[in-house]
Amino acid sequence: MELLLIDAMNLIRRIYAAQQQRAQDPVEETLLHSQNAILKNIERFEASHIACVFDGKGPTWRHELYGDYKADRKPMPDELGRALDTYTKRFESIGISCLLYPQYEADDVIATLALKTADRGGRVRIVSTDKGFMQLSRPTIELYHHFDKRLLNVDDVRQQLDLEPHQLVDFLSLVGDTTNHVPGLPGIGPKTAGQLLDEYGALDNILISSESISGRVGETLRNEYRTALFARQLVRLKTDCQLDLNLQTLRYKKLAKA
């Protein structure tokens, strides 16, 4: 199985932002460009299965846990929001499965499907610019940046972040995730977090060893450990979403010409 997972709003909103500057009808142009982008990626990766995963409109379990989650995120333009039903119908008319689960973020649905497929021997490409997906990286799960035309695998994660993929969650737990308005520990930046993970391997080991860490860093770890543990809950992708979905329903069926 070659599964292509599209982070739908990540792709659509970036295309829409570009079309706002140049198109008379940015909503329609975004639909055409998004459709073509998906079809090109199906061809590029010879996908046998595909899912275009959308976010729901309401709050998810992360918002219930942390009211300020994504507090700085710009709201979706009204005209684009009104058009999404049209988008999904168009995608489905050409054999592209569209998924939306109100209780889950698209990221969690994608993560669940990616691991489920990989565990069954399939290969997965996730189309998104969201580096949070790097925590899923393994030989059979890769992240594709459509706009930069870059495929990121396990080695790329190591080279770019100087971390193992499984350490990304702990790294973000220490420094925070500004994209989603998740706080980190005061005074602990990427360099310090990287050094701590190099020495101790994982967040739990860092916190257990905090009594032996001197200076302001050790003091922060001892005083603010709850912040790091809370952040970890928010930045870790959920991989056990109850989707009630058979992967075979995602098989790509070319129903009509684009």
Side-chain angles (χ1 to χ4, degrees), residues 7 13 54 127 157 160 217 248:
D7 184 358
R13 291 191 66 165
F54 288 81
V127 178
V157 176
Q160 286 193 23
V217 171
Q248 291 307 314

Side-chain angles (χ1 to χ4, degrees), residues 125-148:
R125 272 79 173 218
I126 300 170
V127 178
S128 180
T129 63
D130 186 346
K131 290 186 177 180
F133 285 118
M134 286 182 171
Q135 64 187 266
L136 301 175
S137 295
R138 58 172 70 180
T140 53
I141 300 178
E142 297 174 304
L143 179 63
Y144 183 66
H145 192 305
H146 171 77
F147 302 97
D148 289 349

Side-chain angles (χ1 to χ4, degrees), residues 81-255:
R82 290 192 296 268
L84 290 183
D85 285 345
T86 301
Y87 282 33
T88 57
K89 289 175 183 177
R90 176 76 67 84
F91 296 160
E92 289 173 346
S93 75
I94 56 174
I96 298 167
S97 299
C98 293
L99 304 177
L100 186 155
Y101 293 86
Q103 69 272 37
Y104 300 128
E105 286 188 71
D107 294 3
D108 294 326
V109 176
I110 289 171
T112 297
L113 289 172
L115 287 193
K116 184 177 181 180
T117 301
D119 288 344
R120 294 186 179 187
R123 188 174 187 86
V124 182
R125 272 79 173 218
I126 300 170
V127 178
S128 180
T129 63
D130 186 346
K131 290 186 177 180
F133 285 118
M134 286 182 171
Q135 64 187 266
L136 301 175
S137 295
R138 58 172 70 180
T140 53
I141 300 178
E142 297 174 304
L143 179 63
Y144 183 66
H145 192 305
H146 171 77
F147 302 97
D148 289 349
K149 301 296 185 283
R150 287 189 297 122
L151 191 64
L152 302 175
N153 56 32
V154 173
D155 289 337
D156 293 312
V157 176
R158 292 169 179 149
Q159 290 175 11
Q160 286 193 23
L161 304 178
D162 198 24
L163 298 167
E164 292 297 319
H166 69 270
Q167 291 180 309
L168 179 57
V169 169
D170 288 349
F171 177 80
L172 293 174
S173 302
L174 291 167
V175 304
D177 180 8
T178 56
T179 301
N180 292 316
H181 200 69
V182 176
L185 302 190
I188 295 184
K191 183 178 179 180
T192 300
Q195 291 171 342
L196 289 168
L197 287 168
D198 280 344
E199 184 170 354
Y200 297 100
L203 177 63
D204 289 336
N205 295 338
I206 293 169
L207 297 180
I208 290 170
S209 305
S210 62
E211 290 293 339
S212 63
I213 298 174
S214 62
R216 190 171 297 175
V217 171
E219 183 179 352
T220 297
L221 291 169
R222 292 188 290 275
N223 293 337
E224 302 287 343
Y225 70 92
R226 290 185 181 85
T227 300
L229 294 175
F230 182 64
R232 186 166 65 179
Q233 287 182 269
L234 296 171
V235 301
R236 176 182 283 151
L237 292 174
K238 186 175 177 62
T239 60
D240 60 351
C241 298
Q242 300 301 308
L243 303 180
D244 192 23
L245 177 71
N246 188 316
L247 290 174
Q248 291 307 314
T249 64
L250 304 181
R251 180 174 289 280
Y252 175 51
K253 304 178 185 69
K254 193 172 184 179
L255 303 179

